[in-house]
């Protein structure tokens, strides 16, 4: 019997749990909110236990809601505690400025394009951060003279990015304009010539590579304009210059460009205004190697602080042309920043240019009235006069289709 008692005692001792002590020790908190893993010294009093001297007392856990910050381009999925990147087609994520609280049933920060536009623009890639990323399918009514399938989309905010794949007879598909395409066309070549007009309106004919070119070649007539002719295989770029009171900087060069360069959509102050010493440049057009002019649009891109109103007025256009012309690392980085700022435009249906072969008309008389070509659907201009032929009275010219030439075997 004694042996049995001894074994039972040993069994009880072997399973008794070890007594753990909390990791932290401190005074009972003034506000009464006890924290996890604490020993509060001599705190078991009626004062701290809401007047309880005996029996039991409730210790109720209190929580506060977590405020989740949702940046533009992200949303908080239902039941989640961490925002994720916007990735739901037909939606966009504009962010939530004041944050959101946990919701087990609803996505937060994710907006349906259909809801935001009353069903007018229901499509999106799902990665946008504003309603402007919502679009509808294109129709031929969106691109004049187009037929067949169209690519792209018509975006909220009257942003037509529809592109034709085919056009009606008399028109052809003209490729869209973007900075990347222009940058590729010009490449890293150094411009042969530079022309600019300074703030005072005096034309400055400059030469580069030993070649002079007249002002008419560049097509510059206005103050504060510039042009760079690269060469016969790279075309010509035109733009504007402006001296502003708005300060700016190039930022640090990175990966062959200036990613943090200062740009403005508009500059309201003009050259000559007090304090207008900061030089900005933009681009207005590119003439390709076939002489076709493409109109371009870009913001004002900071170039230099020219340390004075008169200095800026006399030199800003020159600086724009110079830095868009050169081929050293700084010039090329600035060129890349400007090209990167060019606003893209979609492809369109452009009227065909038709060459008119006038018979019995002198070249000078054709050229005087610019009658050598006509744009389909537009005006036809006739030569100043027809040649005089003895014994004949001129009645007029009549169009006829040129005969097709064939070659035999």
């Amino acid at each position: 019997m004694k042996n049995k008692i001894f074994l039972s005692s040993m069994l009880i001792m072997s399973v008794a749990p070890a007594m753990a002590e909390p990791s932290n020790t401190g005074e009972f908190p003034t506000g009464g909110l006890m924290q996890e893993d604490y020993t509060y010294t001599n705190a078991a009093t009626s004062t701290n236990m809401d007047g309880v001297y005996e029996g039991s007392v409730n210790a109720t856990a209190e929580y506060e809601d977590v405020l989740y910050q949702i940046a533009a381009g992200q949303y908080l999925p239902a039941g989640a505690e961490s925002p994720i990147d916007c990735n739901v087609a037909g939606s966009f994520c504009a962010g939530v400025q004041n944050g959101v609280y946990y919701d087990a049933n609803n996505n937060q920060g994710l907006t349906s394009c259909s809801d935001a536009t009353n069903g007018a623009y229901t499509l999106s890639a799902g990665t946008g951060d504003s309603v402007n990323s919502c679009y509808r399918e294109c129709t031929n009514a969106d691109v004049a003279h187009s037929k067949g399938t169209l690519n792209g989309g018509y975006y909220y905010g009257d942003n037509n990015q529809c592109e034709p794949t085919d056009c009606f007879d008399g028109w052809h598909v003209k490729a869209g304009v973007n900075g990347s395409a222009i940058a590729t066309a010009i490449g890293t070549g150094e411009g042969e010539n530079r022309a600019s007009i300074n703030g005072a309106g005096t034309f400055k004919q400059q030469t580069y590579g030993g070649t002079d070119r007249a002002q008419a070649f560049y097509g510059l007539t206005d103050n504060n304009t510039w042009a760079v002719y690269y060469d016969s295989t790279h075309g010509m770029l035109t733009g504007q210059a402006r001296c502003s009171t708005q300060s700016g900087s190039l930022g640090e060069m990175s990966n062959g460009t200036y990613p943090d360069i200062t740009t403005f959509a508009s500059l309201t102050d003009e050259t000559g205004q007090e304090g207008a010493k900061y030089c900005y440049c933009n681009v207005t057009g590119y003439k390709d190697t076939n002489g076709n002019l493409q109109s371009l649009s870009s913001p004002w891109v900071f170039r230099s602080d020219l340390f004075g109103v008169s200095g800026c007025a006399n030199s800003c256009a020159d600086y724009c042309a110079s830095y868009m012309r050169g081929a050293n690392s700084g010039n090329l980085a600035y060129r890349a920043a400007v090209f990167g700022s060019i606003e893209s435009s979609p492809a369109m249906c452009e009227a065909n240019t038709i060459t008119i072969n006038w018979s019995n008309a002198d070249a000078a008389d054709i050229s005087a009235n610019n009658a050598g070509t006509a744009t389909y659907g537009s005006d036809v201009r006739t030569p100043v006069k027809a040649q005089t032929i003895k014994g004949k009275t001129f009645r007029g010219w009549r169009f006829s289709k040129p005969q097709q030439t064939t070659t035999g075997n």
Side-chain angles (χ1 to χ4, degrees), residues 173-187:
V173 176
K174 178 183 177 182
V177 175
N178 59 69
S180 177
I182 302 301
T184 300
I186 292 176

PDB file of all heavy atoms in Angstrom, residues 173-187:
ATOM      1  N   VAL A 173      -3.854  55.388 -94.608  1.00  0.00           N
ATOM      2  CA  VAL A 173      -3.547  55.385 -93.179  1.00  0.00           C
ATOM      3  C   VAL A 173      -2.227  56.114 -92.948  1.00  0.00           C
ATOM      4  O   VAL A 173      -1.187  55.737 -93.509  1.00  0.00           O
ATOM      5  CB  VAL A 173      -3.452  53.951 -92.628  1.00  0.00           C
ATOM      6  CG1 VAL A 173      -3.036  53.976 -91.155  1.00  0.00           C
ATOM      7  CG2 VAL A 173      -4.791  53.235 -92.788  1.00  0.00           C
ATOM      8  N   LYS A 174      -2.286  57.144 -92.144  1.00  0.00           N
ATOM      9  CA  LYS A 174      -1.082  57.880 -91.750  1.00  0.00           C
ATOM     10  C   LYS A 174      -0.730  57.462 -90.330  1.00  0.00           C
ATOM     11  O   LYS A 174      -1.552  57.534 -89.424  1.00  0.00           O
ATOM     12  CB  LYS A 174      -1.323  59.387 -91.790  1.00  0.00           C
ATOM     13  CG  LYS A 174      -0.112  60.206 -91.348  1.00  0.00           C
ATOM     14  CD  LYS A 174      -0.422  61.695 -91.333  1.00  0.00           C
ATOM     15  CE  LYS A 174       0.772  62.502 -90.827  1.00  0.00           C
ATOM     16  NZ  LYS A 174       0.474  63.951 -90.769  1.00  0.00           N
ATOM     17  N   ALA A 175       0.501  57.029 -90.149  1.00  0.00           N
ATOM     18  CA  ALA A 175       0.934  56.543 -88.839  1.00  0.00           C
ATOM     19  C   ALA A 175       0.833  57.628 -87.784  1.00  0.00           C
ATOM     20  O   ALA A 175       0.965  58.825 -88.076  1.00  0.00           O
ATOM     21  CB  ALA A 175       2.365  56.017 -88.918  1.00  0.00           C
ATOM     22  N   GLY A 176       0.602  57.228 -86.545  1.00  0.00           N
ATOM     23  CA  GLY A 176       0.523  58.179 -85.446  1.00  0.00           C
ATOM     24  C   GLY A 176       1.887  58.759 -85.101  1.00  0.00           C
ATOM     25  O   GLY A 176       2.935  58.273 -85.549  1.00  0.00           O
ATOM     26  N   VAL A 177       1.842  59.799 -84.301  1.00  0.00           N
ATOM     27  CA  VAL A 177       3.061  60.497 -83.892  1.00  0.00           C
ATOM     28  C   VAL A 177       3.321  60.220 -82.424  1.00  0.00           C
ATOM     29  O   VAL A 177       2.415  60.292 -81.600  1.00  0.00           O
ATOM     30  CB  VAL A 177       2.918  62.017 -84.113  1.00  0.00           C
ATOM     31  CG1 VAL A 177       4.131  62.750 -83.573  1.00  0.00           C
ATOM     32  CG2 VAL A 177       2.742  62.322 -85.587  1.00  0.00           C
ATOM     33  N   ASN A 178       4.555  59.893 -82.084  1.00  0.00           N
ATOM     34  CA  ASN A 178       4.945  59.795 -80.683  1.00  0.00           C
ATOM     35  C   ASN A 178       6.431  60.091 -80.571  1.00  0.00           C
ATOM     36  O   ASN A 178       7.180  60.013 -81.547  1.00  0.00           O
ATOM     37  CB  ASN A 178       4.613  58.420 -80.092  1.00  0.00           C
ATOM     38  CG  ASN A 178       5.307  57.293 -80.825  1.00  0.00           C
ATOM     39  OD1 ASN A 178       6.520  57.162 -80.741  1.00  0.00           O
ATOM     40  ND2 ASN A 178       4.537  56.476 -81.540  1.00  0.00           N
ATOM     41  N   GLY A 179       6.830  60.452 -79.372  1.00  0.00           N
ATOM     42  CA  GLY A 179       8.206  60.846 -79.158  1.00  0.00           C
ATOM     43  C   GLY A 179       9.190  59.751 -79.465  1.00  0.00           C
ATOM     44  O   GLY A 179      10.297  60.010 -79.953  1.00  0.00           O
ATOM     45  N   SER A 180       8.804  58.503 -79.200  1.00  0.00           N
ATOM     46  CA  SER A 180       9.700  57.387 -79.439  1.00  0.00           C
ATOM     47  C   SER A 180      10.011  57.250 -80.928  1.00  0.00           C
ATOM     48  O   SER A 180      11.158  57.004 -81.318  1.00  0.00           O
ATOM     49  CB  SER A 180       9.076  56.094 -78.904  1.00  0.00           C
ATOM     50  OG  SER A 180       9.892  54.983 -79.188  1.00  0.00           O
ATOM     51  N   ALA A 181       8.972  57.411 -81.767  1.00  0.00           N
ATOM     52  CA  ALA A 181       9.175  57.297 -83.207  1.00  0.00           C
ATOM     53  C   ALA A 181      10.070  58.418 -83.728  1.00  0.00           C
ATOM     54  O   ALA A 181      10.935  58.196 -84.582  1.00  0.00           O
ATOM     55  CB  ALA A 181       7.830  57.316 -83.923  1.00  0.00           C
ATOM     56  N   ILE A 182       9.855  59.634 -83.223  1.00  0.00           N
ATOM     57  CA  ILE A 182      10.688  60.762 -83.651  1.00  0.00           C
ATOM     58  C   ILE A 182      12.124  60.554 -83.184  1.00  0.00           C
ATOM     59  O   ILE A 182      13.080  60.827 -83.924  1.00  0.00           O
ATOM     60  CB  ILE A 182      10.132  62.085 -83.102  1.00  0.00           C
ATOM     61  CG1 ILE A 182       8.681  62.291 -83.570  1.00  0.00           C
ATOM     62  CG2 ILE A 182      11.001  63.250 -83.545  1.00  0.00           C
ATOM     63  CD1 ILE A 182       8.503  62.319 -85.057  1.00  0.00           C
ATOM     64  N   ALA A 183      12.280  60.082 -81.953  1.00  0.00           N
ATOM     65  CA  ALA A 183      13.626  59.836 -81.434  1.00  0.00           C
ATOM     66  C   ALA A 183      14.350  58.802 -82.285  1.00  0.00           C
ATOM     67  O   ALA A 183      15.550  58.935 -82.570  1.00  0.00           O
ATOM     68  CB  ALA A 183      13.551  59.370 -79.986  1.00  0.00           C
ATOM     69  N   THR A 184      13.621  57.765 -82.714  1.00  0.00           N
ATOM     70  CA  THR A 184      14.228  56.744 -83.559  1.00  0.00           C
ATOM     71  C   THR A 184      14.619  57.308 -84.911  1.00  0.00           C
ATOM     72  O   THR A 184      15.687  56.998 -85.447  1.00  0.00           O
ATOM     73  CB  THR A 184      13.254  55.567 -83.743  1.00  0.00           C
ATOM     74  OG1 THR A 184      12.957  55.000 -82.469  1.00  0.00           O
ATOM     75  CG2 THR A 184      13.836  54.506 -84.646  1.00  0.00           C
ATOM     76  N   ALA A 185      13.745  58.168 -85.465  1.00  0.00           N
ATOM     77  CA  ALA A 185      14.018  58.749 -86.776  1.00  0.00           C
ATOM     78  C   ALA A 185      15.254  59.647 -86.752  1.00  0.00           C
ATOM     79  O   ALA A 185      16.070  59.620 -87.670  1.00  0.00           O
ATOM     80  CB  ALA A 185      12.804  59.537 -87.258  1.00  0.00           C
ATOM     81  N   ILE A 186      15.400  60.427 -85.694  1.00  0.00           N
ATOM     82  CA  ILE A 186      16.533  61.344 -85.598  1.00  0.00           C
ATOM     83  C   ILE A 186      17.762  60.634 -85.062  1.00  0.00           C
ATOM     84  O   ILE A 186      18.895  60.893 -85.488  1.00  0.00           O
ATOM     85  CB  ILE A 186      16.169  62.554 -84.716  1.00  0.00           C
ATOM     86  CG1 ILE A 186      15.108  63.408 -85.419  1.00  0.00           C
ATOM     87  CG2 ILE A 186      17.400  63.392 -84.398  1.00  0.00           C
ATOM     88  CD1 ILE A 186      14.615  64.569 -84.603  1.00  0.00           C
ATOM     89  N   GLY A 187      17.548  59.720 -84.121  1.00  0.00           N
ATOM     90  CA  GLY A 187      18.660  58.979 -83.547  1.00  0.00           C
ATOM     91  C   GLY A 187      19.596  59.878 -82.765  1.00  0.00           C
ATOM     92  O   GLY A 187      19.198  60.893 -82.199  1.00  0.00           O
TER      93      GLY A 187
END
